[in-house]
Amino acid sequence: MPEVILAHQVDFVTWRHAARHFVQANVPPEALTWRVAATEQEQPWSAMRQEGQSADQPVLNLSRRFVGILGQVLQACDPERFTLMYRIVYRLACKELALTDGHDPDLQQLRQLVTAVRADTLKFRIAFSTFSAQITNALLPYTPAHYILEANSSYCSRRNARPWQVVTPYRRMEWTGNGIRFAAGTETIPDPALVAWQADGSGVWRGYALSVLPPQLKDVEAAQSLAELGAEAMDCRACALWQPASRTVFGEGAEHAPIMLVGEQPGDQEDQQGRPFVGPAGQVLDDALRDAGIQREQVYVTNAVKHFHFKWTGSRRLHQKPEAEHMAACRIWLNAERRLVRPALVVMLGVTAAQSILQKPVTISRTRSRLFPLEEQTQGLVTVHPSYLLRLPDEASKQREYARFVEDLRLAANYAAQTVKRNAE
């Protein structure tokens, strides 16, 4: 029976990667065990040491709101929470569960744990606020009912700018004035001088940054697969778009596709489903790919910006053009996708994609329909975004521009086929 070892009680990174791996490998909840490492010598679970996935893979697309709920459940002092969380996401991926089912026992238990963690969080924050008002005391002894300390670190550092320490039975947390540091807890509260940190920072809980904070550049660059990269992107908060959007919409397609298609950003349907190009523009793209002799599953499709930028107009979400800060924030993901896919050709669909990749002002009419080098062994091709075809005012214009779009994709297909043939010789 497969076993997942987590580095610590709130090791969300390892849990999330393992859950994604085993859901896609179609491993049922009863065939999987979860536990926290008993010693520092035990190595946490790693996807790099696992077998390949099965051919029939359930799709795991979770909204950001639900991922946030899972993050709260992970803080609960319940040894069965890891299994409960996995069982729920497995059932969701297999279409055996709807989050709106108010009578499902798994979801009822999930809500009970969330309620308990939120109540404990509120209690701790009240205690910390009272502690912060004390000018002379820099050490707060506290015994939480759940594993809530790490998730409240940002709140605490904002609430009290002076150096302080919180000591609990399972974890110690220190704010130095410049950053948060963690170490093992203690059942007895020692003298403040004895819990002071050494100058070299020894004893710091190294797993903290990976579990609580948004993904760092080093984590993105260390990703060895698209699945691992997509899991990291799920928690991205590099720009303000993460908050109103439902989820990160990452790319999908062949792992080493010869053609990478880069659009602008997800739309309303993409934001709801968690997949790129599944709305009206996606239907146009699918039709054009087919007419150009390209199978969508043989290419990699993504966007320059991974979150839906919109404004509300009544009950509808109206698309808004991404801004430069959004493109800059998402560039680490796009660069990482290109590193892993290693496409022979990058097709930029529209001006946003072209500006994000070329990092300069672009006019579609001047750069369209011709191949040009991007970097060693990679060519670029600029064309229109399929949503442009939907906005044309008359049928004649739509047919004419659609034919040009198909020709651009056919040019991409021919170049990719020649490249694959040349590499095979």
Side-chain angles (χ1 to χ4, degrees):
M1 177 180 290
E3 180 182 58
V4 178
I5 300 177
L6 306 178
H8 41 75
Q9 295 289 353
V10 288
D11 184 6
F12 198 18
V13 166
T14 301
W15 182 91
R16 186 187 62 203
H17 288 173
R20 178 180 292 269
H21 172 87
F22 286 109
V23 165
Q24 292 181 333
N26 213 3
V27 176
E30 61 272 15
L32 189 61
T33 61
W34 304 78
R35 70 176 178 88
V36 175
T39 67
E40 293 183 359
Q41 284 68 41
E42 281 194 297
Q43 292 297 312
W45 180 94
S46 172
M48 296 177 63
R49 298 193 293 267
Q50 305 304 310
E51 299 292 334
Q53 298 170 354
S54 66
D56 184 17
Q57 301 175 0
V59 177
L60 181 59
N61 286 316
L62 305 176
S63 70
R64 183 173 300 282
R65 180 176 178 275
F66 186 65
V67 171
I69 291 174
L70 293 178
Q72 290 180 315
V73 174
L74 195 77
Q75 300 169 44
C77 187
D78 184 341
E80 298 300 319
R81 67 195 185 278
F82 309 122
T83 299
L84 172 68
M85 292 161 59
Y86 179 74
R87 186 165 59 246
I88 289 174
V89 299
Y90 181 85
R91 294 175 63 197
L92 288 171
C94 295
K95 311 299 183 184
E96 298 175 356
L97 176 67
L99 291 177
T100 55
D101 186 349
H103 301 290
D104 183 82
D106 283 344
L107 294 181
Q108 288 179 344
Q109 185 179 357
L110 191 81
R111 297 185 188 101
Q112 290 172 359
L113 293 178
V114 168
T115 299
V117 167
R118 288 176 177 174
D120 201 35
T121 296
L122 178 60
K123 182 180 177 182
F124 170 72
R125 290 188 176 188
I126 292 172
F128 188 85
S129 296
T130 303
F131 153 75
S132 298
Q134 302 174 4
I135 304 298
T136 59
N137 191 2
L139 176 64
L140 172 65
Y142 192 80
T143 303
H146 299 282
Y147 303 111
I148 61 168
L149 201 63
E150 296 81 4
N152 283 280
S153 60
S154 295
Y155 169 85
C156 293
S157 62
R158 292 194 304 267
R159 184 68 178 80
N160 191 341
R162 304 188 309 271
W164 47 257
Q165 296 181 49
V166 178
V167 181
T168 76
Y170 88 97
R171 186 70 65 213
R172 287 186 291 164
M173 176 172 69
E174 181 190 50
W175 168 249
T176 66
N178 295 312
I180 293 283
R181 300 194 291 192
F182 289 85
T186 175
E187 291 291 344
T188 58
I189 307 302
D191 183 271
L194 299 179
V195 297
W197 294 90
Q198 299 178 17
D200 62 358
S202 62
V204 174
W205 179 33
R206 302 297 180 185
Y208 165 73
L210 295 178
S211 298
V212 181
L213 300 180
Q216 305 294 308
L217 179 59
K218 62 181 178 61
D219 303 321
V220 176
E221 293 177 341
Q224 298 298 309
S225 69
L226 291 172
E228 184 179 352
L229 191 66
E232 291 289 350
M234 185 185 296
D235 294 330
C236 183
R237 301 185 181 187
C239 73
L241 294 185
W242 74 270
Q243 198 160 15
S246 300
R247 71 196 77 213
T248 301
V249 180
F250 207 67
E252 66 176 21
E255 185 83 21
H256 299 299
I259 299 175
M260 173 184 281
L261 300 171
V262 182
E264 179 190 79
Q265 67 167 356
D268 181 76
Q269 291 297 312
E270 288 79 7
D271 180 69
Q272 293 182 42
Q273 298 184 38
R275 298 181 57 212
F277 285 96
V278 293
Q283 184 59 58
V284 174
L285 177 62
D286 287 346
D287 293 342
L289 287 172
R290 184 182 61 252
D291 291 344
I294 301 173
Q295 296 181 22
R296 174 159 170 164
E297 59 269 19
Q298 294 180 344
V299 300
Y300 186 81
V301 183
T302 191
N303 282 297
V305 175
K306 311 302 186 190
H307 286 115
F308 182 29
H309 185 27
F310 65 92
K311 70 175 182 179
W312 286 102
T313 57
S315 60
R316 296 178 61 242
R317 300 192 297 178
L318 184 64
H319 166 278
Q320 298 290 290
K321 184 179 178 61
E323 299 175 6
E325 63 184 276
H326 306 144
M327 290 187 282
C330 271
R331 193 166 291 123
I332 63 169
W333 301 115
L334 187 57
N335 289 343
E337 287 175 296
R338 292 171 62 186
R339 170 178 63 84
L340 292 172
V341 177
R342 299 195 301 274
L345 177 65
V346 177
V347 179
M348 291 155 268
L349 304 173
V351 67
T352 297
Q355 289 179 348
S356 179
I357 290 176
L358 302 178
Q359 299 189 45
K360 65 179 182 181
V362 174
T363 302
I364 297 295
S365 60
R366 294 180 180 178
T367 55
R368 182 178 181 178
S369 305
R370 61 180 178 85
L371 298 173
F372 54 88
L374 285 179
E375 62 231 9
E376 185 179 359
Q377 297 183 338
T378 304
Q379 294 284 304
L381 173 66
V382 174
T383 186
V384 296
H385 193 282
S387 62
Y388 161 76
L389 306 176
L390 296 172
R391 298 192 298 268
L392 293 173
D394 58 86
E395 192 61 31
S397 298
K398 289 183 178 181
Q399 291 182 7
R400 182 182 65 252
E401 290 301 316
Y402 177 80
R404 288 191 65 192
F405 184 49
V406 170
E407 283 302 311
D408 287 342
L409 294 179
R410 192 170 287 128
L411 174 62
N414 291 337
Y415 176 79
Q418 293 173 7
T419 303
V420 170
K421 181 179 178 181
R422 186 167 55 249
N423 291 339
E425 292 177 348

